[in-house]
Amino acid sequence: MKANFAALMRAVQRGLPLPFGAVTANRRSFVALDNLVDLLITCIDHPAAANRTLLVSDGEDLSTADLLRRLGRAMNRPARLLPVPPVLLQAGAALLGKRDMAQRLLGNLQVDITHTRDTLGWTPPLSVDEGLRRAVAGLQTP
């Protein structure tokens, strides 16, 4: 979702109205780069990590609308969200041949990190909001 995420960040930064205000029922897992690196470092030294598949996220799942609002807060800008029903967004995307993009923005993609937490005793060191603040700072760096 890297390209979509960057495009959403730029849209919020520019104050563009976005039609995702009613997209509140979906849940998406995100992972800040710092949290991913922290888990990788933990795995290097942790004997229980060997030969395991471990999932990573920031530990808090967000709806698309919540993500955009929190991005706006991280930028000290309001996220201008229009309350377009998700079914209309899906229909419009289908007409434009953009079903995949609509699924990435409107659908669920949750990762359960319970096994990772329990196996390694790992907790993401950064909150979602801190990860978003750092992502925004990276966007604003020339």
Side-chain angles (χ1 to χ4, degrees):
M1 191 163 143
K2 183 178 178 183
N4 283 344
F5 185 77
L8 290 172
M9 282 179 45
R10 285 190 302 275
V12 171
Q13 184 179 42
R14 292 179 182 141
L16 299 175
L18 298 169
F20 303 115
V23 185
T24 59
N26 68 332
R27 291 289 172 262
R28 312 287 292 181
S29 298
F30 296 91
V31 60
L33 180 60
D34 297 273
N35 285 339
L36 177 60
V37 170
D38 188 77
L39 178 63
L40 291 172
I41 290 168
T42 299
C43 288
I44 289 169
D45 295 327
H46 203 295
N51 300 315
R52 294 210 185 240
T53 299
L54 300 166
L55 302 177
V56 62
S57 82
D58 292 336
E60 180 184 0
D61 300 330
L62 306 176
S63 69
T64 300
D66 194 30
L67 168 66
L68 292 167
R69 285 186 192 99
R70 288 164 94 163
L71 268 174
R73 277 195 298 261
M75 295 176 180
N76 294 315
R77 307 183 66 87
R80 301 185 193 287
L81 302 180
L82 305 173
V84 178
V87 67
L88 291 179
L89 293 172
Q90 288 173 329
L95 287 172
L96 297 172
K98 302 284 186 178
R99 286 179 198 252
D100 290 343
M101 180 186 290
Q103 177 56 34
R104 289 190 301 269
L105 293 169
L106 307 175
N108 293 316
L109 183 58
Q110 290 178 278
V111 175
D112 182 356
I113 64 169
T114 303
H115 176 71
T116 302
R117 288 179 191 245
D118 293 346
T119 301
L120 304 180
W122 180 81
T123 301
L126 289 186
S127 68
V128 169
D129 291 317
E130 180 59 25
L132 291 174
R133 277 190 287 278
R134 291 183 184 194
V136 165
L139 177 71
Q140 295 170 345
T141 303

